[in-house]
Amino acid sequence: EVQLVETGGGLIQPGGSLRLSCEASGFTVGGTCMNWVRQAPGKGLEWVSVLYSGGSTYYADSVKGRFTISRDNSKNTLYLQMNSLRVEDTAVYFCARDGSPRGYYYYYMDVWGKGTTVTVSS
Amino acid sequence: QSALTQPASVSGSPGQSITISCTGTSSDVGNYNLVSWYQHHPGKAPKLMIHEVSKRPSGVSNRFSGSKSGNTASLTISGLQAEDEADYYCCSYAGSSTYVFGTGTKVTVL
């Protein structure tokens, strides 16, 4: 079964760091494009970052320079390292797989996890 | 990148059809046929309903359809059912390997 499970959320003080993990099953994270998307309390979905199969990474302006997306192919796991956290980073963080056929980029997300909650507060 | 504009809420009676609009700009919705739609029940994983403006993934009911005209994309749900009650989000490719989501629409089945 194709599945994504996020872990690593928690309560962290402003300025702190946290690393989220997203373990995949049923497919290999290294062979596809993977995203992080977040949802702040009472707000809509916000795209955060993408990691292409070739290794290129891109970020939303709101997290650029503070967040780093990466993967460990041996663990079939995607990560999001979050540094210099701000109160406004409080959200449920989802990882999601791009559903485009190999070699193509149609920019949609066909498999999502249930999310992990990050709360930034003093 | 500003969020795409969706109505905050749309409602309909069972069996009716409703349409959710998603308005962007010539830099996102208007420039790419790369609009997708997601259904989200709070506390659960979002579900892909439509990709590339009008393509429906296998397993998604044919009651869901998508279209686009200029800078506005639309999702239509026909034969509205109680299980369709959820939040719906559009998303567009915005160039330079970035995405932009819509503000979200709460669908209520009366």
Side-chain angles (χ1 to χ4, degrees):
Chain A
E1 181 189 6
V2 173
Q3 192 175 5
L4 293 168
V5 178
E6 303 95 335
T7 56
L11 174 63
I12 188 79
Q13 290 190 339
S17 297
L18 206 58
R19 189 179 78 158
L20 306 182
S21 300
C22 168
E23 185 172 0
S25 54
F27 72 99
T28 57
V29 295
T32 188
C33 183
M34 296 292 297
N35 292 272
W36 286 98
V37 175
R38 68 184 180 183
Q39 183 176 35
K43 303 293 186 181
L45 299 175
E46 179 190 15
W47 174 77
V48 173
S49 182
V50 63
L51 172 58
Y52 286 90
S53 56
S56 297
T57 59
Y58 296 87
Y59 301 90
D61 287 344
S62 57
V63 307
K64 200 174 295 182
R66 301 187 298 121
F67 289 12
T68 302
I69 189 172
S70 64
R71 66 182 179 233
D72 184 331
N73 292 342
S74 67
K75 296 182 178 179
N76 209 25
T77 299
L78 179 75
Y79 300 102
L80 186 67
Q81 177 67 43
M82 303 185 296
N83 298 331
S84 302
L85 281 161
R86 305 168 180 168
V87 171
E88 54 264 35
D89 294 319
T90 295
V92 176
Y93 284 75
F94 301 95
C95 61
R97 182 185 78 171
D98 187 282
S100 307
R102 184 180 286 270
Y104 295 86
Y105 298 105
Y106 297 130
Y107 301 98
Y108 62 92
M109 302 169 209
D110 70 334
V111 180
W112 294 67
K114 292 183 178 180
T116 186
T117 301
V118 173
T119 303
V120 185
S121 175
S122 54
Chain B
Q1 189 74 37
S2 298
L4 308 175
T5 301
Q6 297 181 230
S9 62
V10 174
S11 62
S13 300
Q16 286 187 328
S17 292
I18 61 169
T19 296
I20 303 168
S21 61
C22 168
T23 301
T25 70
S26 57
S27 297
D28 38 63
V29 175
N31 199 33
Y32 306 96
N33 288 324
L34 297 172
V35 176
S36 50
W37 288 89
Y38 303 89
Q39 177 190 67
H40 189 208
H41 291 99
K44 296 193 173 183
K47 177 184 178 183
L48 174 68
M49 306 304 285
I50 295 287
H51 62 94
E52 296 169 76
V53 174
S54 59
K55 296 182 180 180
R56 200 171 43 248
S58 62
V60 172
S61 170
N62 59 9
R63 299 184 297 104
F64 292 84
S65 61
S67 62
K68 191 188 88 166
S69 177
N71 296 338
T72 299
S74 298
L75 175 72
T76 297
I77 309 175
S78 57
L80 198 62
Q81 299 181 0
E83 67 206 48
D84 300 332
E85 190 161 290
D87 297 323
Y88 289 83
Y89 294 90
C90 61
C91 181
S92 175
Y93 180 64
S96 301
S97 295
T98 64
Y99 305 67
V100 59
F101 277 92
T103 50
T105 298
K106 182 177 181 60
V107 169
T108 301
V109 181
L110 301 172

